[in-house]
Amino acid sequence: MPILEPPPFPTGNLTSGDIYSISRYLNDPTMVLRALRTIAEQIFVGSKVLTGQFFTDSGAIIYEQIESIFAAANPQAVQPGSEYPLAPVPTGPAQIADVVKWGLDTIITDESIARQNFDVVSRAFIKIVNSMVQQVDSVVMSAVVAAITQTQEAGATTPGGSPAATAYWDGSGTNKPNILRDVLMAEEQIRALKQGYNADTVLCDLGTYALAISDPTLSLLVPREDFGSKGVQDMPVMAGLKTGLSTTIAGKTWLSTPNLPSTPYVALLDTTVFGAMVDERLPAPGYVGAQSDGGGTDDGRSMIQVKTMREDKQDRRRIRCRRTTTPIVIEPSAGIEITEFVS
């Protein structure tokens, strides 16, 4: 049996080879876009709350808000040979919103690439996308919070009612908290509007999320024995651990975000109709990602545009990330805030 010798040590300038690979990577804006989108889609919460997507070519959009799903008159009994009653179809009040271009550049010098290789590129990508996410998500969350005016007090036993005593979610109130009942009471209040709202998401800050998910009463509602086809990986609590910022309980997706304008805060929404993001397509030489990064399954939802530029006079590269967008709330009545859940 022959003795197999270990492979020889690689020859050549490995550092230069790495730099050439990084240079080719940065010269391909499509590859850069994919890296930035992969990071962004993991932590964007705004697009999960405002699930609609509209486009504009003029920098603004006109839309109707709070449009009823019913005609202005009820159906009537029609006698043989008689005319059918006419009913106007009402529309909501018109609103207008202007898009805003949010952008950020970062510089990567030749020296930093030579000394740190791809690590400096990776860190630059993460930081520029984190900044973009924080800005856009903060704008979205401010719009969401400002639009929701309906409230449901924690501890109330009727939709829209007032509790007989405090029932704070941390257990410090007079009565023991029942978090699921508070959520369901809020849901019944918006369902009573008879506009077809079906709440599917609970939006809250990080502290409230941790407080609710760790509640001993609520945790008893999480399935433990029926693991499904994937074993423990199918459990809702495991789903929350995998995503880090969300989990599903009682048919509601709990989303937490650090970008709310004020805390503590918790609201229930029907994200299918609540609102949308409005983006403007800005085709320009060198930019990629206005709607698609070229992937077969890409849906263009993050709408981040990317451009890479070589600046030979300064021996550096400039990476630009931008998004021209604005949030709109179409059905503010599809959201309701839960109040009095903390002291």
Side-chain angles (χ1 to χ4, degrees):
M1 181 177 181
I3 299 176
L4 300 179
E5 297 292 341
F9 189 82
T11 59
N13 192 331
L14 299 181
T15 303
S16 297
D18 290 341
I19 293 176
Y20 291 152
S21 297
I22 295 172
S23 178
R24 288 194 298 268
Y25 180 83
L26 293 177
N27 279 333
D28 188 347
T30 301
M31 295 297 296
V32 175
L33 172 69
R34 287 176 178 172
L36 295 180
R37 282 175 55 86
T38 299
I39 301 170
E41 289 175 347
Q42 292 177 352
I43 49 182
F44 260 127
V45 175
S47 60
K48 296 178 177 63
V49 176
L50 303 182
T51 58
Q53 179 67 67
F54 300 136
F55 299 98
T56 177
D57 296 321
S58 61
I61 186 172
I62 298 177
Y63 62 100
E64 295 175 350
Q65 196 176 58
I66 320 177
E67 181 177 351
S68 175
I69 64 173
F70 298 105
N74 295 324
Q76 302 176 13
V78 180
Q79 299 297 325
S82 300
E83 292 284 344
Y84 280 76
L86 292 176
V89 178
T91 59
Q95 306 288 338
I96 187 171
D98 297 323
V99 298
V100 178
K101 181 167 67 177
W102 304 100
L104 194 65
D105 283 3
T106 189
I107 298 296
I108 303 178
T109 64
D110 290 352
E111 288 81 1
S112 62
I113 293 177
R115 296 165 186 171
Q116 303 177 55
N117 288 339
F118 197 78
D119 181 64
V120 66
V121 179
S122 177
R123 286 189 285 109
F125 284 176
I126 292 174
K127 290 179 181 181
I128 195 173
V129 172
N130 282 344
S131 298
M132 180 67 72
V133 169
Q134 178 172 296
Q135 180 62 41
V136 176
D137 260 13
S138 296
V139 173
V140 171
M141 292 301 109
S142 296
V144 169
V145 171
I148 297 177
T149 57
Q150 300 178 99
T151 59
Q152 172 70 35
E153 292 189 44
T157 56
T158 57
S162 299
T166 57
Y168 302 136
W169 286 8
D170 61 359
S172 63
T174 304
N175 292 340
K176 186 177 180 180
N178 191 326
I179 298 176
L180 181 59
R181 182 173 62 189
D182 293 339
V183 172
L184 294 180
M185 288 296 172
E187 179 180 15
E188 293 307 314
Q189 186 173 340
I190 63 174
R191 288 183 63 187
L193 299 175
K194 298 181 179 180
Q195 294 299 313
Y197 301 140
N198 184 20
D200 58 2
T201 300
V202 178
L203 176 67
C204 58
D205 61 278
L206 301 181
T208 301
Y209 177 84
L211 191 68
I213 300 304
S214 62
D215 178 75
T217 303
L218 192 62
S219 63
L220 294 177
L221 303 176
V222 177
R224 295 180 300 280
E225 286 76 23
D226 184 9
F227 292 160
S229 60
K230 296 182 181 179
V232 295
Q233 297 298 322
D234 242 4
M235 296 174 62
V237 67
M238 288 297 293
L241 292 176
K242 286 188 293 184
T243 57
L245 295 175
S246 68
T247 189
T248 302
I249 295 179
K252 307 290 184 293
T253 299
W254 289 66
L255 291 177
S256 62
T257 174
N259 297 323
L260 286 163
S262 61
T263 60
Y265 183 85
V266 58
L268 184 68
L269 309 98
D270 181 356
T271 59
T272 62
V273 298
F274 186 75
M277 299 298 296
V278 180
D279 286 84
E280 182 178 7
R281 299 183 178 95
L282 293 178
Y287 281 97
V288 294
Q291 187 174 2
S292 174
D293 67 359
T297 59
D298 177 55
D299 62 357
R301 281 292 289 131
S302 80
M303 293 303 298
I304 289 178
Q305 290 183 302
V306 170
K307 183 176 184 179
T308 61
M309 295 161 280
R310 173 69 185 176
E311 299 179 345
D312 288 324
K313 288 185 177 181
Q314 293 84 19
D315 290 336
R316 65 187 188 182
R317 291 185 179 275
R318 180 183 295 266
I319 299 177
R320 176 168 298 166
C321 178
R322 73 180 185 183
R323 184 178 183 184
T324 307
T325 187
T326 189
I328 60 172
V329 176
I330 302 173
E331 295 288 343
S333 298
I336 181 170
E337 179 185 359
I338 299 177
T339 61
E340 307 299 328
F341 65 95
V342 292
S343 57

